[in-house]
Amino acid sequence: MAASLVTSMQEPMLHGWRLIDRQHMRMSGYAARVTSLGWTVGGRWLATSGSTQIILWPFQAKDGPMGKQPKLLAPSEHRVAVVACHPKRDIVAAGYADGMVLLVRVDDGAEILAKRPGDAPITALAWSADGTLLAFGTESGEAGILDLA
């Protein structure tokens, strides 16, 4: 896929543009406004919040996600509030509105519970450069670092 620019909007959808020819892309179907998005390693997928599951839009082909269905992973009763893509592997960390954090492998959807639900939504997730540490923060001020080495 050629270089693209993707933005979230006030409405529950994403807008994007392929920079080489200004081709407009719309990605819709969200239950709530998208507040977090990130590119998987190599830019193959765009992981997004805004639903009760991780929504991954394919960007492997020339036309990006146009005419393609997104991949849906890690369904929950609670909304995905934050996503963070691993810097070296096709893994997405998802922080949920109930305080849970899941690590999800893009290829097969395998899940690892990294943090049990808590008393407040996850509001921040960040990987270390080598991908061995995952930091999280919650709306109530709880924070931590998960050592995944």
Side-chain angles (χ1 to χ4, degrees):
M1 170 77 188
S4 298
L5 172 68
V6 178
T7 63
S8 63
M9 308 302 285
Q10 289 298 324
E11 66 266 17
M13 70 181 335
L14 298 173
H15 288 274
W17 296 267
R18 190 171 51 206
L19 297 180
I20 195 164
D21 61 1
R22 298 183 186 165
Q23 176 67 42
H24 185 231
M25 299 173 269
R26 290 186 182 174
M27 292 156 271
S28 59
Y30 291 93
R33 185 172 170 249
V34 177
T35 57
S36 180
L37 48 90
W39 296 100
T40 62
V41 67
R44 293 184 40 207
W45 298 93
L46 179 64
T48 64
S49 67
S51 183
T52 56
Q53 54 202 330
I54 301 169
I55 298 177
L56 292 124
W57 293 98
F59 275 82
Q60 298 92 340
K62 175 186 169 212
D63 290 332
M66 297 300 84
K68 297 180 184 70
Q69 292 296 314
K71 184 180 272 198
L72 307 174
L73 299 176
S76 170
E77 293 178 13
H78 301 278
R79 186 179 50 82
V80 175
V82 182
V83 295
C85 296
H86 192 280
K88 298 184 180 208
R89 302 187 187 277
D90 276 337
I91 296 172
V92 178
Y96 290 81
D98 67 348
M100 178 174 67
V101 176
L102 285 179
L103 306 180
V104 183
R105 197 166 44 209
V106 173
D107 291 341
D108 62 5
E111 301 173 7
I112 295 174
L113 178 64
K115 180 190 170 299
R116 293 189 185 284
D119 64 346
I122 300 294
T123 56
L125 286 173
W127 289 97
S128 62
D130 65 359
T132 61
L133 301 172
L134 177 66
F136 70 89
T138 72
E139 192 173 273
S140 66
E142 178 187 5
I145 297 177
L146 307 169
D147 187 346
L148 305 169

